[in-house]
Amino acid sequence: MLSRRAVLGPLAAAGAALALGDARLQAAVQSDDGGWTSLREAAAKRGILYGCAAASYQLRNDAFATLLGREAAILVPEYEMKRGVVEPQPGAYDFRGADALFTFAQRNELAMRGHPLVWHKRNPDWLEGEVLGTRKERLLTGYVDRLVSRYRGRMHSWDVVNEAIAPADGRPDNLRNSFWLKAFGPSYIDLAFTAARHADPAATLVYNDWGCEAGAPDNDRFRTATLDFLESALSRNVPIDALGLQGHLLAFGTQVDQRKLRDFLEAVKALGLRILITELDVDDSGGALDTGVRDRAVADASRRFLDVALDNSATVAVLTWGLSDRYLDSPGLRASLMGYSPRTLPYDSGFVRKPMWQAMGDAFASRYAAWR
């Protein structure tokens, strides 16, 4: 295993700005590899899985269900595998939402991801007090075993531990001062991954986080902390197979620094890990109200990010956190009165392709990274 310090180095300057087509004017794009009519198809030509998050209630919309089955090759539950939904009371499990998504995935030949097994958020009200009061490891490992065993052999990958890094909390190891850490120390991460591996040896086990994507000093610190974390875990033989890079981007704000991101992803690859983009979306608030301007900014941010991510051979999947703007949270009364509604995903609320769809497809179809 190589240390990141052996592979980090200067890179060539970033290329010219990207020229992005309007998705609403093109039903397909031609590349050297032929035409494509869906993100699923475009990604497959690159050897990548494209998919997205969805919720079971969304499948009641026939038009959306048809769109999802055509565009996605892999599906992740938006909220129906979060512990607050799965185990609202101790030992009382509810798999109805997750099972409905599995049924849809099987019918449409989609792979599935599990998200998340261990997180400091979206837990049932009883859990934190019970963990801190008893410090029973089974409250962690038993839950991991129950979920992973239920879907053994049917899950492409699991986000085993989600967002465990928080440099702002001030710990020397940069770990988040969560109730899991307070109860079990850093070993809770080892316990979670080991339990998941025992429950399903074939699934890809992912550490999932955000903060490494953009180019600000705080992102530099987060990238360093993430690499330190991964190196330490792997040195202890924690069975981490991949890094999940969430990919929450800004259309108007701190942008992706392509060279910094390239360095970081090369260092992750050098550790022997795969890379998944797990929750890609682009926050378009804080900028122009003009829809065309915002759509173009969202598309440009997506392309800048994906050109670097896809240039790394360790990247195996790209998932957006949703497929259509229809199911995004309301922007609030003041923003609505100003004429703003979020446009952060590949399809608008009427299931019409947006420039982000085009930019993503172009990134998948491009044989060489446009930013070089």
Side-chain angles (χ1 to χ4, degrees), residues 66-141:
T66 299
L67 180 68
L68 180 63
R70 185 181 74 237
E71 288 286 345
I74 186 168
L75 187 63
V76 63
E78 181 178 345
Y79 68 89
E80 286 158 312
M81 277 189 174
K82 292 182 169 65
R83 192 160 181 173
V85 174
V86 172
E87 194 184 12
Q89 299 298 326
Y93 291 90
D94 183 353
F95 297 109
R96 289 174 297 177
D99 285 350
L101 290 168
F102 255 105
T103 299
F104 175 85
Q106 290 177 328
R107 185 185 307 129
N108 291 275
E109 299 182 338
L110 277 66
M112 281 286 295
R113 298 195 70 241
H115 167 86
L117 289 172
V118 179
W119 194 22
H120 62 284
K121 293 183 177 179
R122 303 296 186 266
N123 290 301
D125 292 340
W126 60 268
L127 181 64
E128 181 172 349
E130 188 71 11
V131 167
L132 292 175
T134 67
R135 286 174 163 76
K136 292 181 179 179
E137 290 181 359
R138 288 294 298 170
L139 290 168
L140 187 153
T141 58

Side-chain angles (χ1 to χ4, degrees), residues 110-305:
L110 277 66
M112 281 286 295
R113 298 195 70 241
H115 167 86
L117 289 172
V118 179
W119 194 22
H120 62 284
K121 293 183 177 179
R122 303 296 186 266
N123 290 301
D125 292 340
W126 60 268
L127 181 64
E128 181 172 349
E130 188 71 11
V131 167
L132 292 175
T134 67
R135 286 174 163 76
K136 292 181 179 179
E137 290 181 359
R138 288 294 298 170
L139 290 168
L140 187 153
T141 58
Y143 177 79
V144 171
D145 179 73
R146 180 66 183 268
L147 257 68
V148 179
S149 295
R150 179 181 178 84
Y151 300 107
R152 181 186 176 103
R154 296 188 288 160
M155 194 73 77
H156 170 276
S157 51
W158 284 97
D159 290 336
V160 178
V161 175
N162 194 48
E163 299 177 358
I165 299 170
D169 282 1
R171 288 176 53 91
D173 59 9
N174 292 302
L175 291 180
R176 183 183 301 278
N177 196 26
S178 67
F179 70 90
W180 295 114
L181 187 73
K182 293 174 183 176
F184 305 117
S187 66
Y188 85 88
I189 295 165
D190 307 47
L191 291 169
F193 276 95
T194 300
R197 176 66 85 222
H198 287 163
D200 189 349
T204 296
L205 305 185
V206 182
Y207 173 72
N208 193 54
D209 216 324
W210 65 278
C212 297
E213 297 87 346
D218 283 347
N219 302 114
D220 295 340
R221 184 181 178 191
F222 208 99
R223 279 185 284 270
T224 299
T226 300
L227 291 170
D228 285 342
F229 165 82
L230 293 172
E231 286 181 350
S232 176
L234 293 172
S235 72
R236 302 192 307 273
N237 296 315
V238 178
I240 300 176
D241 299 315
L243 173 67
L245 195 64
Q246 292 181 11
H248 297 301
L249 310 178
L250 297 175
F252 307 101
T254 303
Q255 297 296 300
V256 168
D257 184 306
Q258 292 179 307
R259 287 175 290 175
K260 289 180 178 180
L261 181 60
R262 164 72 183 274
D263 281 350
F264 172 72
L265 295 182
E266 286 296 325
V268 172
K269 177 183 174 181
L271 293 173
L273 297 175
R274 281 162 274 174
I275 298 165
L276 292 82
I277 309 305
T278 55
E279 304 181 21
L280 177 61
D281 57 16
V282 185
D283 182 351
D284 68 327
S285 62
L289 290 177
D290 180 83
T291 298
V293 172
R294 288 193 286 124
D295 282 354
R296 183 67 57 204
V298 167
D300 183 63
S302 303
R303 182 68 190 268
R304 286 177 57 82
F305 176 67

Side-chain angles (χ1 to χ4, degrees), residues 329-347:
D329 292 337
S330 169
L333 179 60
R334 185 171 182 271
S336 297
L337 291 175
M338 293 176 63
Y340 169 79
S341 59
R343 296 178 64 84
T344 70
L345 293 168
Y347 279 82

